[in-house]
Amino acid sequence: MADYIYTMEIRLTPDQLKGVGLVQDVARAAGMNLYLTGGAIRDIISGFSIRDLDFTVQGNPLKLQKDFEKAGARITAVEEDIRTIFLVLPGNARAEVSMARTERFEKTGKPPIVMPATIHEDLRRRDFTVNAMALSLNEGSRGLLLDPFNGVADLEAKLIRILHNYSFLEDPSRLIRAIRFAARFHWPLEERTQARYDAAKEGKYIDHILRSSIGHEIAALAHEDDPLNVVKMLEKEGWLEILHPHWTSAKVDTNGITALMKTRQQMVDLGYLPDAGPAVMYFLTSHFSDKDVADIQKMIPRKDLVEAWRDIEDHAKELAKRLMGKEAATPSRTWQLLSSARPEMVLFLAVTAKQQSVDQKIKNYLTKWRQVQQSLPIPEMTELLITPQLPEYPKLANDVFLLLLDGKMRSRTERLKYLKPFAPPPPPPPPAPRRGRQPKAAAQAAAAANPAGAQPGKPGPKGKKGKAAAVPAAPAMPAPAAKADPKAKVAEKAKPEAKPPKAAAQPGHKPGKKVAAKSPKKKKK
Ligand code: ATP
Ligand code: MG
């Protein structure tokens, strides 16, 4: 059976994984059963990137708001009617925690009647089979996958399948969701789902879409990896104008969004995780009037997304100004400034900077200067044994990097002069050989063989001179001594299993040939 907890652990980012732990702790303390659900499970199993964590609890998550905040999460939106809270977990991982519920659709176009339910019932109200799975995070059943509609099989078949024939009628936003997923994953709708989809389109079910669902679908565009493709597919199907009547692909800054996604990928490859959402929304609506943009923003439930989108230009201008000022007068200072800026701002400015100097600085930050960083450790550091094991290495390496960025330490003499004070003292003398099953006995033999071989200036403990107690000060070259002292032979014979001392292998010492040659014989005995 597949180990889904293991798969989850290796697929989530470290921040997402910590977020799972945080939500788990809060739910456990409140005595609520917790499941990872929806798209998070789909993406964990299928290998797609996991954009947000969808949790479901059996109980009311609205009661947990304070606990989440205390644990370090930020609450960005609350939907009372479906008892869902939207969170940003430490490290910027997005999550939502919903109450396990049933939804009864009584009137077309009216919100469903929501009732608390078990996780099994909850899975039945979901949109597609691949989204109707839950992974238990509870003691006793942790790792158990609930998959009542065989979503795993549809993941393998790469199919989008509704759970029942009334799915699109009950909630027409699923028509938009179906196309969004089809565009994202490049998967087709399953045959019967396609037939229902066509009928729903023909029957204009979409006219009954709830306003709140439109807001969700708009916000979902912000987190697509290829938003332009999704927008084009939605437009082709007639759904883009449902999200806003003036929305067409002509309203999109196509070059802007293409450059944005390319730079985002470049940053991801460098280990940053910029939240491109606000910038994506900015470019998707670039050619809208301010009023239309404001109308769209009003529809979005996640206020953090809206605020970041609203402020994006001002924040970018601020950063550009700083990049043109004294604060970024040298490459090293520019590096420090950009390293402390929010990755999303670096991303947005990389694509929108109007000043050539700003543009060039960000380009250097993302490309050329990385090569300087990768050239560390420079040979002189290795030579002087300045290795990552030293506690002061990270700071020193960073200082060296910044100096190199500024074109300092060009000559070898300069580099050695700078680095020498940081070189560690030469390594201590090699430790005494302690090998074999009875190292004490072996050392005894060695000590007996060469009582004079104790470390200079380090006599053995009182009253035990020349005995086994001298082990820590065993001779560095016991082998030749063993040959010289007949006592040693006796000792060695008496303990045939003792391996020859390894001193021969130590740097700076020649191997003790005789002992090495004798040892196999001894083993045969
Ligand atoms: P994404 O990767 O875009 O986050 P997702 O499938 O997780 O995709 P969400 O909007 O985060 O989508 O919703 C989480 C889960 O809630 C879905 O996987 C699905 O199970 C359920 N869900 C969301 N919207 C609907 C809907 N309109 N009808 C039924 N279930 C829905
Ligand atoms: Mg999701």
Side-chain angles (χ1 to χ4, degrees):
M1 204 178 87
D3 182 348
Y4 292 107
I5 293 290
Y6 175 74
T7 316
M8 174 183 82
E9 285 171 355
I10 55 167
R11 293 276 297 107
L12 295 182
T13 65
D15 286 333
Q16 285 176 326
L17 199 54
K18 269 188 233 148
V20 170
L22 184 153
V23 175
Q24 210 169 270
D25 291 346
V26 170
R28 190 171 295 165
M32 292 187 195
N33 277 341
L34 175 74
Y35 301 85
L36 192 61
T37 46
I41 295 297
R42 176 197 66 219
D43 296 338
I44 283 172
I45 298 178
S46 61
F48 288 106
S49 65
I50 301 141
R51 54 211 72 224
D52 58 20
L53 299 170
D54 310 299
F55 295 96
T56 303
V57 287
Q58 287 182 172
N60 181 359
L62 303 191
K63 287 186 189 161
L64 306 179
Q65 292 182 66
K66 284 216 173 84
D67 300 329
F68 279 125
E69 279 173 338
K70 261 192 222 150
R74 213 156 33 88
I75 295 176
T76 57
V78 175
E79 286 194 24
E80 305 255 347
D81 49 347
I82 51 168
R83 296 200 209 126
T84 296
I85 52 179
F86 295 88
L87 304 171
V88 177
L89 299 162
N92 268 346
R94 283 178 298 115
E96 63 178 76
V97 186
S98 307
M99 174 185 75
R101 62 184 193 264
T102 52
E103 292 181 346
R104 214 172 61 240
F105 292 85
E106 294 211 320
K107 270 194 179 169
T108 316
K110 291 275 176 250
I113 295 163
V114 171
M115 299 287 282
T118 64
I119 186 69
H120 295 274
E121 289 163 324
D122 177 282
L123 292 178
R124 273 186 242 141
R125 63 135 187 114
R126 304 229 167 206
D127 50 2
F128 308 110
T129 56
V130 292
N131 288 346
M133 295 181 271
L135 181 67
S136 167
L137 298 175
N138 306 299
E139 270 171 43
S141 61
R142 198 175 143 82
L144 182 73
L145 185 76
L146 308 178
D147 180 15
F149 298 97
N150 211 353
V152 170
D154 282 340
L155 274 185
E156 275 167 22
K158 301 187 194 311
L159 284 176
I160 296 163
R161 186 197 303 264
I162 45 175
L163 306 192
H164 55 82
N165 287 340
Y166 303 103
S167 187
F168 293 129
L169 181 64
E170 283 184 351
D171 180 354
S173 76
R174 293 171 189 163
L175 294 164
I176 300 178
R177 293 176 66 81
I179 294 305
R180 189 157 59 76
F181 292 130
R184 185 197 297 174
F185 299 128
H186 306 283
W187 293 351
L189 305 192
E190 171 272 335
E191 209 179 314
R192 282 169 59 185
T193 302
Q194 182 69 55
R196 293 282 154 190
Y197 175 92
D198 294 339
K201 210 170 153 188
E202 181 105 6
K204 299 208 183 316
Y205 291 6
I206 201 70
D207 293 348
H208 305 293
I209 189 170
L210 296 174
R211 208 180 138 80
S212 57
S213 302
I214 295 180
H216 276 293
E217 287 313 304
I218 295 174
L221 293 177
H223 304 294
E224 289 296 333
D225 284 341
D226 189 356
L228 193 57
N229 180 39
V230 175
V231 160
K232 283 185 177 159
M233 286 270 284
L234 291 181
E235 186 178 29
K236 192 165 148 246
E237 292 298 307
W239 306 141
L240 198 55
E241 64 187 87
I242 302 297
L243 300 184
H244 189 279
H246 300 163
W247 216 338
T248 65
S249 50
K251 297 281 190 233
V252 178
D253 176 348
T254 311
N255 291 339
I257 199 127
T258 308
L260 181 82
M261 297 330 274
K262 204 172 142 203
T263 309
R264 178 181 168 271
Q265 188 53 50
Q266 190 185 357
M267 289 183 72
V268 168
D269 293 344
L270 291 174
Y272 298 96
L273 287 173
D275 174 8
V280 168
M281 294 315 296
Y282 173 91
F283 287 115
L284 287 184
T285 57
S286 284
H287 304 306
F288 267 120
S289 70
D290 288 351
K291 187 188 169 298
D292 283 345
V293 170
D295 286 345
I296 291 177
Q297 288 174 341
K298 258 186 241 150
M299 310 271 291
I300 296 178
R302 290 195 82 140
K303 295 303 161 210
D304 58 328
L305 170 63
V306 175
E307 270 165 35
W309 172 12
R310 267 194 207 130
D311 296 341
I312 201 164
E313 273 188 307
D314 288 346
H315 286 170
K317 267 187 207 149
E318 254 168 58
L319 183 58
K321 207 168 143 196
R322 291 173 71 189
L323 280 168
M324 287 188 297
K326 267 192 191 159
E327 220 181 326
T330 59
S332 65
R333 295 180 75 179
T334 308
W335 173 275
Q336 281 165 314
L337 174 57
L338 285 171
S339 301
S340 63
R342 280 190 296 127
E344 23 283 326
M345 289 324 301
V346 176
L347 168 63
F348 184 68
L349 195 55
V351 182
T352 56
K354 294 197 173 67
Q355 308 82 351
Q356 217 208 327
S357 66
V358 172
D359 185 52
Q360 193 55 50
K361 280 177 180 172
I362 299 182
K363 275 206 180 91
N364 287 342
Y365 175 68
L366 295 177
T367 53
K368 199 169 120 190
W369 295 343
R370 304 278 152 177
Q371 287 157 16
V372 179
Q373 197 180 36
Q374 276 158 19
S375 68
L376 289 179
I378 51 175
E380 290 80 5
M381 289 171 93
T382 317
E383 245 170 68
L384 293 169
L385 302 179
I386 299 173
T387 60
Q389 283 75 37
L390 297 178
E392 58 275 23
Y393 182 87
K395 185 182 175 312
L396 180 59
N398 191 49
D399 292 347
V400 169
F401 163 61
L402 295 176
L403 287 166
L404 291 174
L405 267 194
D406 289 343
K408 293 183 183 146
M409 299 209 303
R410 277 178 197 234
S411 72
R412 179 173 157 78
T413 328
E414 270 176 298
R415 290 193 290 268
L416 283 173
K417 191 175 156 207
Y418 180 84
L419 290 169
K420 256 187 192 149
F422 300 100
R434 294 197 66 174
R435 299 250 162 191
R437 262 188 285 162
Q438 293 192 16
K440 215 172 167 186
Q444 246 175 353
N450 183 16
Q455 263 185 16
K458 278 201 174 182
K462 260 187 198 171
K464 293 196 173 181
K465 271 181 199 169
K467 291 201 172 171
V471 169
M477 282 179 68
K483 179 193 162 200
D485 192 333
K487 268 190 213 163
K489 274 188 186 166
V490 175
E492 278 184 53
K493 273 184 185 168
K495 309 281 178 204
E497 64 276 54
K499 280 187 184 169
K502 263 271 168 119
Q506 286 163 2
H509 297 287
K510 284 178 187 166
K513 277 183 194 163
K514 291 251 164 148
V515 173
K518 269 184 183 174
S519 55
K521 259 193 219 164
K522 275 189 248 161
K523 269 191 183 161
K524 270 183 203 165
K525 272 187 182 180

